[in-house]
Structure formats: C-alpha cells, structure tokens
Amino acid sequence: MRLKELPINPSTKKLEIDIMEQKGSFAIVVCDGKAKITELPPYGETKIITHQGKVKRIRFDEGEEF
C-alpha cells in the first residue's frame, strides 16, 4: 500500500508531522479521525474519490514523459 497511517495524539487531537523528514512531494488525507500520508508520483495524477462527504479511495494514474 502506498498510504501510511499517521498517528494522531489522542489527548490533544492534533496531528504533528515533521515535513523536513519527508522527501519529495506528498499529500496528507484526513477523514473520520484518521490521517494517512502518501508520496506523489513524479509524473501522473492522484485522485481522491469521495462519497457522501467521506474519502472512499485514492486512485493513482502514473505515466512517464517520452
């Protein structure tokens, strides 16, 4: 899986992430009290699909320049 779960501090209900540890471009998706991070591809599209206000899936469509 490309998505990695991020811990949310239960006492403060805050998400803390050190962006200097991350390499390249990335996206953080939050839904229903859960947070997940994914690295974005160098070439392509990343679509976040929602249904009734909730994240249903994340779809990756990658390509490469010719």
Side-chain angles (χ1 to χ4, degrees):
M1 286 298 261
R2 293 181 179 197
L3 296 171
K4 296 176 190 165
E5 190 107 13
L6 291 174
I8 296 176
N9 188 335
S11 62
T12 61
K13 307 258 191 229
K14 289 186 178 181
L15 170 67
E16 293 185 23
I17 182 168
D18 185 3
I19 61 170
M20 300 309 285
E21 288 181 2
Q22 304 300 319
K23 53 187 170 197
S25 300
F26 60 93
I28 298 173
V29 180
V30 180
C31 183
D32 287 339
K34 293 185 211 173
K36 295 188 178 188
I37 188 170
T38 185
E39 192 173 319
L40 298 174
Y43 297 96
E45 296 179 350
T46 303
K47 296 180 183 179
I48 300 170
I49 312 299
T50 60
H51 178 69
Q52 295 181 344
K54 296 184 180 185
V55 176
K56 190 74 172 167
R57 74 179 66 85
I58 298 177
R59 186 176 299 155
F60 297 91
D61 183 18
E62 293 184 60
E64 192 169 317
E65 298 242 356
F66 185 67

